[in-house]
Amino acid sequence: MQNFAVFTAFILFASVFQFAGCSDTAPDIATPKGEELTAQVETLAPEPVTTEPTPVERTFVRLLNLFPQSIVDADFTTLREVTNSQLYLDFLAQEFPEAGPFQTYEAYLRGAPPDADRYLPFLEKWVGNPSAEDVELIQWLTGKYREVNLHIFRIEFRQGPAVQPGALFQEAAQVFEKLAVLAEDPHVEAFMTRHALRDDFSPAFEAFVAATEREDARWLHEQFEARNGIDEGLLWSALHRPTLIGEILHNFSSTDVFLKWVEVTREQD
């Protein structure tokens, strides 16, 4: 576990200081020879197919009407209002019942189960038969490492004047404090010991965390392009991936830094 923490601390410490068609046609119908028969092909216009809007689509339109102002304001004020609205909470309760009963968005985030499809493929390479406890632990640990990575990102891409040396060391101290808490967490130590994980688990886990960040940044950018820009794309994302939006609201206080993170991270190899 000590090697795991030391390797991670070295990587993150170095990161902090780096910034000083085809179309089908109907076949011709030939008139048989010797017969005076005219073949007529009658083309009927297809009847319009009406489909009921999905719960996501209905809620999306209702939220747009309820919050006509820009979703991407300076500090996510409007998006926070969206996630705390009764309309949004009712939608979550209907579409994500596995989170259990809740009254607030924060309670939903605490009760939402981990995304097994994301974490199991990684865990199965290191743990023979991952348990539900293993999945929960690796999701929690991934979230904590992403939080540290985003902390470093905020340092490197801060708006305004250059960071002063004193402020830089203060930021670095906060990063190491977060790492120390993770290294000493009894659940992490128990996980590492229980599965006798080797030293090479640390760099593999770091790569996995980075891959989840790239995947999420690219998905968010796709929503921005698929909808009518960032405002609708972010609202659409809140309906499809509420836990990702919760992470964004937890780690970003500036929409400018968030949008820069999306652009930079999605382009990484």
Side-chain angles (χ1 to χ4, degrees), residues 53-221:
T54 65
V56 173
E57 293 168 338
R58 286 197 303 269
T59 307
F60 178 72
V61 172
R62 293 178 65 189
L63 285 171
L64 282 177
N65 293 330
L66 188 61
F67 297 94
Q69 65 272 40
S70 175
I71 300 296
V72 190
D73 48 25
D75 53 4
F76 285 117
T77 298
T78 303
L79 184 58
R80 295 181 195 279
E81 292 176 356
V82 168
T83 58
N84 286 296
S85 68
Q86 193 60 50
L87 173 58
Y88 183 71
L89 293 175
D90 290 343
F91 168 81
L92 293 182
Q94 178 181 350
E95 294 298 304
F96 303 97
E98 63 274 11
F102 57 87
Q103 300 297 323
T104 65
Y105 183 49
E106 290 72 20
Y108 164 80
L109 295 175
R110 289 193 298 269
D115 182 1
D117 290 340
R118 164 169 279 188
Y119 299 104
L120 275 177
F122 171 77
L123 272 174
E124 288 171 346
K125 297 177 181 178
W126 297 90
V127 179
N129 187 22
S131 65
E133 181 183 359
D134 292 330
V135 176
E136 291 178 2
L137 185 281
I138 209 67
Q139 181 203 39
W140 175 83
L141 192 59
T142 298
K144 290 299 182 181
Y145 267 73
R146 284 171 58 127
E147 183 177 331
V148 171
N149 289 344
L150 290 173
H151 191 131
I152 295 172
F153 184 89
R154 292 195 300 270
I155 298 174
E156 295 176 338
F157 293 90
R158 173 174 298 162
Q159 301 291 310
V163 180
Q164 298 298 317
L168 173 61
F169 281 104
Q170 184 178 3
E171 296 277 10
Q174 293 178 8
V175 171
F176 285 109
E177 182 179 355
K178 292 177 182 290
L179 288 174
V181 171
L182 289 177
E184 296 173 0
D185 186 275
H187 297 92
V188 175
E189 291 184 337
F191 170 78
M192 300 287 290
T193 302
R194 181 167 65 252
H195 297 296
L197 294 174
R198 306 179 299 274
D199 292 343
D200 53 350
F201 175 80
S202 179
F205 178 70
E206 288 283 348
F208 169 74
V209 172
T212 66
E213 292 173 336
R214 290 193 301 271
E215 177 185 334
D216 287 343
R218 290 167 182 170
W219 184 85
L220 286 165
H221 186 264

Side-chain angles (χ1 to χ4, degrees), residues 228-241:
N228 290 325
I230 298 173
D231 281 310
E232 291 193 11
L234 200 56
L235 184 58
W236 188 257
S237 300
L239 295 171
H240 284 81
R241 297 193 181 179

